[in-house]
């Protein structure tokens, strides 16, 4: 897991990735001190690549009012402060995940501001101030969510130019890599899966048609993003539902993005319909990354319940993925990679100079345990 990976001119120093995770803590799309500490700590923790949370290309592209944005000059400056911190103080590379929430937008943060209220409000519409939603077809996420408007060609043009503007802003903010979020039922994902795309024009029906708008957006971004910097695409490779994507669809999707210039497919799954029946377990989505890597012949990132160093090493050594992303394990342990290196007795990883003595002590303690 400590072998570097080359993507265009970017050298990712090792194969452990902090997966994108919404923090719902931005104000009017602007990231702040919380995000500086959050990303700064995880970048110091030894992972080779860290992803931003889903960062939205316009105010009405957000999931919740706490979501991060990239649509205002203030957002560029706020992100650049964090990117500069990461580059100055750590060896990690930093990727920006750009998205539009589509029919899953205009919802509450998962938590209540009242500390005694522990209920999960994810996917619940706002109590007031809901904004209009757009989607490939006028199908609400659930009975309680706002029904979206079917997108017109003019809507597609506006959304496409919002993605390009955010791409240019991502370059101004000095990100190393860019990811287009086409998974989890958000706007572009909802074009790909037949569950949410019931259009009868050239943007619906066959997988070629369902790919048309997401590929258009990707190509416009790729043209705006510097050639030497890599791009990835996150997909939901299955809907965990019989009426959803087929295995062949997911290969066709990966091949189409690779053809359009994607350097890596970030293989997630599900969250495209509330009726999904996922089959959970250790490394449960890795077979999807494996199939796409070995059938579509593209680089993949595996994600989903990968939490032990042995999981990462076995996935990589067996050729099932090129990178492994860990989300929740990094919420509990920002230093997951440093700890793994100490446990495995790997000497070449460099902890931040300020933390060297702590790292050395952990190595000695673990060595004593072994002997
Ligand atoms: C708090 C939280 C927020 C998340 N937000 C995002 C997100 O912004 N974008 C995304 O693509 N996935 C998001 N995910 C999904 C994770 O990136 C990851 O795919 C998922 O949690 C499975 O990995 P894990 O088992 O290591 O947690 C989120 C997950 C969590 C736990």
């Amino acid at each position: 897991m400590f072998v570097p990976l080359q993507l265009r001119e970017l050298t990712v120093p090792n194969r452990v990735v902090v997966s994108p995770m919404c923090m719902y803590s931005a104000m009017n799309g602007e990231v702040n001190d919380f995000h500086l500490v959050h990303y700064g700590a995880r970048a110091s923790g030894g992972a080779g690549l860290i992803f931003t949370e889903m960062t939205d290309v316009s105010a009405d592209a957000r999931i919740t009012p706490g979501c991060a944005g990239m649509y205002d000059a203030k957002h560029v400056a706020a992100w650049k402060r964090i990117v500069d911190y990461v580059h100055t103080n750590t060896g990690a590379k930093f990727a920006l995940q750009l998205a539009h929430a589509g029919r899953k937008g205009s919802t509450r943060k998962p938590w209540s501001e009242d500390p005694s209220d522990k209920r999960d409000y994810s996917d619940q519409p706002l109590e007031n101030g809901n904004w209009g939603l757009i989607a490939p077809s006028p199908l609400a996420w659930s009975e309680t969510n706002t029904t979206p408007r079917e997108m017109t060609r003019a809507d597609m043009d506006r959304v496409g130019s919002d993605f390009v503007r955010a791409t240019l802003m991502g370059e101004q903010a000095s990100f190393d890599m860019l990811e287009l979020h086409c998974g989890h039922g958000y706007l572009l994902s909802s074009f790909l899966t037949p569950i949410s795309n019931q259009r009868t024009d050239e943007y619906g029906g066959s997988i070629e048609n369902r790919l048309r708008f997401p590929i258009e957006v990707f190509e416009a971004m790729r043209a705006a993003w510097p050639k030497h910097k890599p791009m990835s695409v996150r997909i939901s490779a299955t809907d965990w539902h019989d009426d959803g994507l087929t295995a062949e669809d997911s290969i066709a999707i990966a091949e189409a993005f690779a053809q359009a210039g994607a350097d890596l497919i970030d293989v997630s799954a599900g969250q495209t319909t509330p009726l999904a029946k996922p089959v959970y377990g250790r490394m449960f989505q890795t077979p999807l990354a494996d199939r796409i890597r070995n059938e579509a012949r593209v680089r993949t990132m595996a994600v989903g319940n990968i939490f032990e160093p042995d999981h990462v090493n076995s996935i990589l050594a067996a050729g099932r993925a090129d990178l492994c992303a860990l989300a929740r394990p990094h919420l509990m342990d920002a230093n997951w990679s440093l700890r793994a290196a100490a446990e495995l007795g790997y000497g070449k990883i460099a902890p931040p100079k300020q933390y060297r003595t702590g790292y050395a002590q952990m190595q000695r303690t673990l060595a004593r345990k072994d002997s």
Side-chain angles (χ1 to χ4, degrees):
M1 75 170 89
F2 298 112
V3 176
L5 177 70
Q6 192 70 27
L7 296 169
R8 299 204 183 207
E9 288 179 27
L10 181 71
T11 308
V12 180
N14 65 60
R15 308 300 179 103
V16 183
V17 177
V18 178
S19 203
M21 280 184 282
C22 284
M23 291 289 111
Y24 309 106
S25 302
M27 288 282 278
N28 299 318
E30 191 176 345
V31 288
N32 52 50
D33 287 355
F34 167 81
H35 301 86
L36 176 69
V37 174
H38 169 70
Y39 291 109
R42 278 145 196 85
S44 298
L49 179 64
I50 57 173
F51 276 79
T52 68
E53 60 207 269
M54 166 161 159
T55 299
D56 304 306
V57 298
S58 60
D60 63 355
R62 292 174 300 167
I63 315 171
T64 76
C67 288
M70 192 61 114
Y71 50 86
D72 187 295
K74 278 195 282 193
H75 300 160
V76 180
W79 274 119
K80 187 162 193 317
R81 175 172 170 246
I82 303 174
V83 178
D84 287 349
Y85 177 89
V86 168
H87 287 158
T88 308
N89 294 284
T90 82
K93 305 300 174 190
F94 205 173
L96 168 65
Q97 186 188 60
L98 289 178
H100 188 302
R103 68 175 182 153
K104 292 176 85 176
S106 192
T107 62
R108 295 177 65 171
K109 295 180 194 180
W111 52 80
S112 160
E113 296 306 334
D114 169 3
S116 67
D117 181 358
K118 302 278 190 270
R119 276 172 293 184
D120 180 358
Y121 290 99
S122 304
D123 294 330
Q124 299 297 312
L126 295 169
E127 289 167 296
N128 43 57
N130 281 289
W131 57 83
L133 302 179
I134 50 171
S137 303
L139 302 167
W141 171 252
S142 78
E143 276 173 15
T144 49
N145 294 90
T146 312
T147 302
R149 185 166 61 73
E150 180 175 294
M151 282 176 80
T152 61
R153 185 59 242 182
D155 292 321
M156 293 184 203
D157 290 342
R158 178 179 73 87
V159 169
S161 59
D162 289 346
F163 271 101
V164 169
R165 179 186 56 198
T167 299
L168 296 170
M169 288 178 160
E171 166 60 6
Q172 282 170 33
S174 306
F175 280 102
D176 301 303
M177 180 168 163
L178 190 62
E179 173 161 285
L180 179 61
H181 196 349
C182 292
H184 300 171
Y186 299 112
L187 183 67
L188 298 174
S189 162
S190 68
F191 269 85
L192 294 175
T193 167
I195 295 175
S196 43
N197 182 348
Q198 298 183 355
R199 296 177 76 100
T200 52
D201 62 4
E202 68 269 39
Y203 297 98
S206 66
I207 184 60
E208 291 72 27
N209 281 359
R210 283 180 275 133
L211 266 161
R212 199 177 305 277
F213 180 56
I215 289 285
E216 243 178 53
V217 172
F218 180 85
E219 283 178 343
M221 291 166 74
R222 188 61 270 186
W225 184 242
K227 276 204 172 48
H228 65 280
K229 292 190 180 184
M231 279 185 72
S232 59
V233 178
R234 175 163 268 205
I235 63 168
S236 284
T238 174
D239 298 306
W240 304 117
H241 191 284
D242 289 345
D243 300 335
L245 291 175
T246 62
E248 292 71 34
D249 284 348
S250 68
I251 303 290
I253 291 168
E255 283 173 345
F257 281 113
Q259 185 78 34
D263 304 287
L264 178 83
I265 304 296
D266 172 0
V267 187
S268 188
Q271 299 172 55
T272 53
T273 163
L275 304 174
K277 298 252 180 306
V279 184
Y280 289 117
R282 276 171 193 227
M283 307 180 272
F284 72 116
Q285 293 170 165
T286 300
L288 303 162
D290 185 349
R291 188 169 64 206
I292 288 177
R293 183 174 194 266
N294 290 297
E295 288 188 28
R297 298 270 158 208
V298 295
R299 288 200 170 106
T300 60
M301 180 159 82
V303 64
N305 238 353
I306 300 168
F307 51 89
E308 284 178 5
D310 279 354
H311 296 165
V312 176
N313 273 335
S314 62
I315 291 168
L316 297 170
R320 309 184 78 190
D322 300 273
L323 291 171
C324 288
L326 286 68
R328 290 164 297 174
H330 277 119
L331 290 181
M332 292 314 293
D333 186 358
N335 294 327
W336 192 94
S337 302
L338 290 179
R339 187 183 294 276
E343 274 174 22
L344 296 168
Y346 183 79
K348 287 194 217 147
I349 199 163
K353 54 186 180 296
Q354 300 90 337
Y355 300 167
R356 272 182 207 153
T357 55
Y359 183 74
Q361 189 210 24
M362 180 175 277
Q363 277 187 311
R364 281 196 303 273
T365 313
L366 292 168
R368 269 202 298 277
K369 257 194 219 159
D370 278 352
S371 59

